[in-house]
Amino acid sequence: QVQLVESGGGLVQPGGSLRLSCAASGSMFSIDAMGWYRQAPGKDRELVAAITGGGSTNYANSVKGRFAISRDNAKNTVYLQMNSLKPEDTAVYYCHANIRSGPYGTDYWGQGTQVTVST
C-alpha cells in the first residue's frame, strides 16, 4: 500500500514563507512525476508545481518566482518552498505522485494540508 504523507502547512502572514513536505512510503519500484496541487473554497483543484523524475519543473503562472519545487529521490520526498505568500495562496494543498509498483504507473494523492495566509 503506497501512501503520501504531507506536512508543513499552517497559518502565515502575507509576505511570509512556508515549506511543505510530502513523503511517499510503501511498496514501489520508482516514482515518476511528483507535484503539488491546491484547492481553494469554491474553486477547482489546480496545479501549483510539478517536477519530473529527471528534475524538470513546471509552475503555475501565479506562483512563478515565489514558489520552488524540489525532490529528494533517496527519501522519496517532494518539497514546496513557498515565499512571498499572498492571501490568494490560501487553500488546501495536495501532494501528487505517479508511482510504479508494477508495469504501469498509478496516481496517488496525499490527504491535503491547509495553508492560510492572513493577518
Side-chain angles (χ1 to χ4, degrees):
Q1 182 87 13
V2 174
Q3 285 188 317
L4 299 180
V5 178
E6 302 152 347
S7 61
L11 173 64
V12 64
Q13 292 187 344
S17 298
L18 282 175
R19 189 192 195 207
L20 305 183
S21 300
C22 172
S25 62
S27 177
M28 65 190 85
F29 291 152
S30 64
I31 305 177
D32 295 332
M34 304 185 81
W36 292 92
Y37 288 71
R38 68 186 180 187
Q39 187 166 20
K43 295 188 176 181
D44 293 333
R45 189 174 296 190
E46 63 175 358
L47 173 69
V48 177
I51 185 168
T52 67
S56 297
T57 58
N58 181 41
Y59 295 93
N61 287 334
S62 60
V63 306
K64 283 181 180 177
R66 300 188 298 121
F67 290 11
I69 189 170
S70 61
R71 63 192 285 172
D72 184 333
N73 292 329
K75 296 182 178 179
N76 295 327
T77 299
V78 64
Y79 305 96
L80 185 68
Q81 178 66 44
M82 304 185 293
N83 300 324
S84 302
L85 282 159
K86 304 176 181 180
E88 51 263 43
D89 295 318
T90 296
V92 178
Y93 284 69
Y94 296 91
C95 173
H96 165 267
N98 185 268
I99 297 175
R100 294 179 181 270
S101 301
Y104 304 105
T106 301
D107 289 324
Y108 291 90
W109 294 89
Q111 78 282 3
T113 185
Q114 177 70 47
V115 171
T116 302
V117 184
S118 175
T119 56

